Amino acid sequence: MMLRPLFCAALLLASAPALAQEPAPIAAAPATLNDDLRAKFVAQAPEDVVASKLIGLSIRNGANESIGSVADVVFDEKRSVKSYVVSVGGFLGLNAKYVAVAPETLTLARKDGGGLDAVIETDKDQLRAAPEYVYLGSEPKK
């Protein structure tokens, strides 16, 4: 029984020099961001168009007929507007058809009250005849 406490004491004494030989930690410089990585903040300008104000915006044609509404905005890899997805037909979103139109075909202008006005030179029949826009991942399985 006397051997156990003696063995533990010897083990502690033998490990003490090994613990003392660990190198002391070196203080490092604090992490910093260079100017390329810093967040850049931008204020909204009066002429800016916010995407949340586009979604649901009614689209008229030159004859002042409502022919659809903006359902979505598609951006390309450079984050430029690639197309506007227009919802055509349907009632309260049911049985609506989605078509994508090039951004240059949809004219956006400010109304006197500051709201947006969207005009496209086409009619409902042309939009209904256009190829349907299918969201990737929502195609039917073959």
Side-chain angles (χ1 to χ4, degrees):
M1 283 215 195
M2 192 66 154
L3 291 175
R4 183 177 280 185
L6 193 58
F7 178 73
C8 288
L11 186 63
L12 283 172
L13 288 175
S15 65
L19 293 175
Q21 293 175 0
E22 288 184 21
I26 300 172
T32 60
L33 294 174
N34 63 22
D35 285 337
D36 293 338
L37 297 177
R38 291 194 189 278
K40 294 178 176 77
F41 302 99
V42 179
Q44 183 180 2
E47 64 274 5
D48 290 348
V49 176
V50 182
S52 61
K53 301 296 182 194
L54 285 176
I55 307 300
L57 182 65
S58 180
I59 300 173
R60 297 178 302 103
N61 63 11
N64 205 25
E65 301 168 327
S66 178
I67 59 171
S69 63
V70 178
D72 216 338
V73 181
V74 180
F75 298 94
D76 63 16
E77 66 277 354
K78 294 179 183 175
R79 306 301 182 252
S80 299
V81 174
K82 182 176 182 178
S83 64
Y84 295 105
V85 179
V86 177
S87 174
V88 183
F91 181 71
L92 298 176
L94 300 174
N95 298 324
K97 177 181 178 181
Y98 298 106
V99 297
V101 297
E104 60 272 8
T105 62
L106 187 71
T107 304
L108 295 171
R110 291 272 180 207
K111 294 191 234 178
D112 288 336
L116 290 171
D117 193 27
V119 177
I120 189 169
E121 291 302 324
T122 190
D123 59 29
K124 279 187 181 183
D125 292 333
Q126 287 178 326
L127 288 176
R128 285 187 191 124
E132 185 169 8
Y133 182 81
V134 178
Y135 286 91
L136 293 180
S138 62
E139 306 95 358
K141 294 183 180 181
K142 296 180 182 178

